[in-house]
Amino acid sequence: MQNSVLQIDKIDKHYGTLQALRQVSFNVPKGSVFGILGPNGSGKTTLLGIIMDVLKASSGSYQWFGEPPTSNQRKRMGSLLETPNFYHYLSAIDNLKISAAIKGVEDSHIHSVLEKVNLGERKYSKFKTFSLGMKQRLAIAACLLGNPEVLVFDEPTNGLDPVGIAEIRNLIQQLASDGKTIIMASHLLDEVEKVCTHVAILQKGKLLANGHVQDILSNDDIVELSCNNIELLQKVALQITGHTKLEQKENTILLFFPSGSANLESINQTCFQHHITLTHLVLKKRSLESKFFELTNA
Amino acid sequence: MLKNLYIEWLKIRRYRTFWVFSILFLVTILGINYISYEIKESTSASSVFGSPFRFPHVWQTITWLSSYSLFIPGILMITFFTNEYTYRTHRQNIIDGWSRAEFIHVKLAMIGIIAVLTTFIAFLNVLLFGLSTASSFSLDKIEYLFYFFIQALSYTSVAFIIALLVKRSGLAVVLYLSYAFIIDNVFKLLLNKYFWQTGNYLPLETTDVLIPLPFFGNVLPYQANHTTALIMAFIYLVAYYLFANWKFKTADL
């Protein structure tokens, strides 16, 4: 596929008897912000390690830009895997000189990427004197060297304070709006929901689902209803057409509809015709969390 | 390759340990030679066989003495390589766009450079001590300098292979020192005693025997065959290269 930046085809990875990845296949479309979502230990980092050639797949293959993987392709990417990896005894700027030299990027870029992550003032400080958040920001600066088309981030907001998290999310959104493809592993649902356009869900090394975020993570409309007479409401609610499921949660009735098909006005009208005055009527997308639990418990 | 070597230089030029090791090596090699020089020149023993610090014997003497300091470049190599594992920069270098082959080849090139520099320092020592005995310079027996180069390659390579296998600097250094000074010699003695002198062709022994003891003339009962020792040394070097290449290209980093 021409529009895929990355194609992953039936990748397996064993560590002895432990199977870390099972037959994982998906495509990452060009220009997407692609989230790889899964609980800790689901194989996200292993998968990213394989596509960056620091781990070897037991079987299966992958292609970058429609071609078999080469080291030169990685020069066009910026990647942050697990923890920031730098020479502790060197300064921020000396560390980035090494990354820049490997990527074939001019040293003059270093200054601007350090400014972008707010490390300009500490550029001559040794890496070992940095806080966790600063190390993470330096790693992100290294990813930005040479203005790469593809960015691969493993838990990019790890170790950052709330301000830092917001900064990095803004940065990712800004990069996405510049047309970059971003592949991002995360165990944080709301992070994926906030910044990603696409998502793949991994659990115990198996791909459970992948596609557009709105298709995967919220495919139901849920209407919450309540009134003073919950028994009557339940009878009436059963007559409302188009719903797929009805649940009662204490004094609230939950009506499930296929995505986009719930009509609050007609629900309200039906109730009113049956002399019910609703005290609560809300349309909710199925919560990401409940969907995630549903998927990973399957 | 030059560009990649420049990147290695970026890694070490501000690395204090590298400079401390280099200075220690210079001091040690000079010290070993100086101590022996003082003893030999001030005792009458030298007159029986001629001074070992006069040309052309000085080539053999200095290279034999200097070989006792080869563990320092070995440990330096271990430090360079295990640093990459400690800081996980071996992964980062690959992620940034080096191929695995590039990573391992530049390290092997570093072994070559270390061996060349080490040999050059030994050469300076030959000049210093040879000329201070007021003998006239001679290229006769300069082949010992070549043997020393092979020996330096061999010591640094063994250190590198140990570092590649154990990945931790402390353990690698202890293993290396005990192998180079004790284990290798124990196996040599055992093999020489029970298996037809094959102990002389162990990884480090085969380069040690290239430069025999320069003192007391040729009084030792057995000397290894030079050609065989040299061939074995080359076989080991090729084997180290193939192993390091295979190991780094197939492993999970």
Side-chain angles (χ1 to χ4, degrees):
Chain A
M1 248 202 295
Q2 200 73 64
N3 285 331
S4 289
V5 164
L6 170 67
Q7 289 167 264
I8 295 178
D9 190 27
K10 295 192 188 112
I11 284 191
D12 266 318
K13 176 70 184 172
H14 312 270
Y15 291 108
T17 55
L18 180 93
Q19 190 150 16
L21 292 173
R22 301 163 199 257
Q23 297 282 303
V24 174
S25 303
F26 60 82
N27 288 343
V28 175
K30 194 170 191 303
S32 62
V33 180
F34 198 101
I36 300 174
L37 183 61
N40 292 332
S42 57
K44 304 183 296 286
T45 300
T46 303
L47 185 64
L48 294 185
I50 288 171
I51 60 172
M52 298 314 293
D53 197 32
V54 293
L55 299 176
K56 291 287 181 192
S58 306
S59 67
S61 63
Y62 62 96
Q63 292 200 320
W64 282 107
F65 312 105
E67 288 164 14
T70 66
S71 58
N72 279 333
Q73 292 165 347
R74 291 197 297 277
K75 295 187 171 118
R76 296 156 61 189
M77 303 174 201
S79 312
L80 163 59
L81 289 196
E82 273 181 308
T83 50
N85 305 320
F86 291 104
Y87 299 92
H88 289 207
Y89 53 85
L90 291 179
S91 66
I93 203 159
D94 282 338
N95 268 301
L96 290 193
K97 275 183 185 170
I98 293 171
S99 299
I102 292 177
K103 286 181 178 298
V105 171
E106 295 288 324
D107 278 1
S108 54
H109 284 222
I110 292 172
H111 189 73
S112 68
V113 296
L114 282 172
E115 289 300 329
K116 214 169 214 171
V117 297
N118 297 329
L119 278 179
E121 283 173 17
R122 294 293 302 270
K123 63 184 167 188
Y124 296 117
S125 304
K126 285 187 176 159
F127 179 74
K128 63 181 168 201
T129 67
F130 279 14
S131 70
L132 186 57
M134 291 165 77
K135 288 175 177 172
Q136 191 78 357
R137 281 187 278 149
L138 182 63
I140 288 167
C143 293
L144 300 177
L145 280 171
N147 199 19
E149 314 152 49
V150 177
L151 292 138
V152 179
F153 293 133
D154 187 5
E155 311 278 2
T157 54
N158 226 357
L160 297 179
D161 56 24
V163 177
I165 291 174
E167 278 172 10
I168 294 309
R169 284 187 186 157
N170 285 340
L171 181 66
I172 290 174
Q173 273 155 348
Q174 189 194 324
L175 290 165
S177 66
D178 290 345
K180 315 242 180 255
T181 307
I182 298 164
I183 302 169
M184 188 176 111
S186 180
H187 65 276
L188 302 172
L189 298 150
D190 92 309
E191 180 164 87
V192 169
E193 196 190 27
K194 276 181 184 145
V195 299
C196 295
T197 58
H198 292 69
V199 65
I201 298 179
L202 277 181
Q203 193 213 10
K204 292 183 184 163
K206 264 183 87 170
L207 182 70
L208 297 180
N210 84 99
H212 283 277
V213 165
Q214 65 265 36
D215 295 343
I216 301 292
L217 294 177
S218 49
N219 55 358
D220 280 331
D221 286 350
I222 305 170
V223 178
E224 286 181 8
L225 309 158
S226 55
C227 72
N228 295 332
N229 187 343
I230 198 83
E231 286 79 19
L232 180 61
L233 178 60
Q234 183 156 14
K235 277 181 202 153
V236 173
L238 282 168
Q239 296 167 27
I240 293 170
T241 52
H243 74 263
T244 53
K245 200 163 72 165
L246 184 150
E247 279 176 19
Q248 184 176 348
K249 221 182 198 178
E250 293 168 15
N251 283 328
T252 310
I253 302 286
L254 301 179
L255 274 179
F256 292 74
F257 292 87
S259 183
S261 68
N263 183 341
L264 295 190
E265 198 182 339
S266 84
I267 294 169
N268 200 4
Q269 212 164 20
T270 310
C271 293
F272 201 70
Q273 280 161 6
H274 290 84
H275 312 292
I276 295 173
T277 310
L278 293 171
T279 55
H280 179 76
L281 174 63
V282 180
L283 173 64
K284 282 192 168 171
K285 290 284 178 186
R286 163 133 35 163
S287 87
L288 190 53
E289 203 150 350
S290 64
K291 181 70 182 180
F292 182 67
F293 281 124
E294 183 189 300
L295 281 166
T296 53
N297 289 331
Chain B
M1 180 52 88
L2 274 180
K3 192 179 146 254
N4 291 352
L5 280 171
Y6 172 70
I7 292 170
E8 290 298 300
W9 171 241
L10 288 180
K11 294 178 190 174
I12 59 172
R13 65 176 176 164
R14 302 232 165 90
Y15 183 44
R16 194 175 298 144
T17 309
F18 163 67
W19 294 107
V20 171
F21 269 54
S22 302
I23 291 164
L24 276 179
F25 178 66
L26 287 175
V27 171
T28 306
I29 202 167
L30 200 63
I32 290 177
N33 290 317
Y34 178 70
I35 292 167
S36 310
Y37 176 82
E38 279 298 322
I39 294 169
K40 284 290 161 191
E41 288 305 296
S42 62
T43 58
S44 54
S46 58
S47 61
V48 181
F49 304 108
S51 166
F53 287 93
R54 293 173 72 88
F55 282 106
H57 307 292
V58 68
W59 292 105
Q60 182 184 352
T61 309
I62 294 288
T63 51
W64 185 84
L65 288 168
S66 301
S67 70
Y68 283 92
S69 59
L70 281 178
F71 70 95
I72 296 179
I75 294 176
L76 185 63
M77 194 65 219
I78 288 175
T79 312
F80 282 167
F81 197 63
T82 52
N83 266 352
E84 305 273 13
Y85 282 99
T86 309
Y87 303 137
R88 297 169 72 83
T89 40
H90 64 308
R91 287 165 62 106
Q92 195 60 42
N93 288 172
I94 305 292
I95 289 167
D96 283 341
W98 259 355
S99 67
R100 289 172 176 232
E102 276 177 300
F103 184 89
I104 206 75
H105 286 161
V106 77
K107 292 283 184 257
L108 295 171
M110 290 288 280
I111 295 177
I113 290 173
I114 288 176
V116 167
L117 290 176
T118 308
T119 308
F120 180 70
I121 290 162
F123 171 70
L124 293 181
N125 275 269
V126 168
L127 289 187
L128 177 68
F129 289 97
L131 294 177
S132 50
T133 54
S135 60
S136 54
F137 180 75
S138 156
L139 289 177
D140 190 24
K141 296 200 175 183
I142 194 178
E143 66 269 20
Y144 282 106
L145 201 61
F146 172 69
Y147 298 149
F148 181 79
F149 171 68
I150 299 294
Q151 200 176 10
L153 270 183
S154 171
Y155 271 75
T156 321
S157 302
V158 167
F160 176 72
I161 294 293
I162 291 175
L164 180 66
L165 287 173
V166 305
K167 297 174 187 166
R168 286 186 197 84
S169 64
L171 181 60
V173 167
V174 172
L175 263 177
Y176 176 63
L177 290 181
S178 41
Y179 180 75
F181 288 119
I182 308 294
I183 300 171
D184 189 68
N185 286 302
V186 169
F187 278 117
K188 176 188 86 168
L189 293 175
L190 289 173
L191 287 173
N192 276 354
K193 195 166 177 186
Y194 299 109
F195 293 94
W196 315 284
Q197 306 286 349
T198 47
N200 288 323
Y201 304 109
L202 283 168
L204 292 179
E205 280 310 314
T206 196
T207 54
D208 285 352
V209 298
L210 287 173
I211 308 173
L213 182 70
F215 308 123
F216 319 120
N218 291 330
V219 292
L220 288 178
Y222 177 82
Q223 287 204 319
N225 182 313
H226 249 217
T227 318
T228 317
L230 208 50
I231 289 169
M232 284 307 293
F234 280 117
I235 290 174
Y236 282 122
L237 288 174
V238 171
Y240 300 147
Y241 168 78
L242 292 175
F243 175 75
N245 228 357
W246 168 80
K247 174 85 181 146
F248 201 76
K249 279 187 184 173
T250 54
D252 283 340
L253 304 177

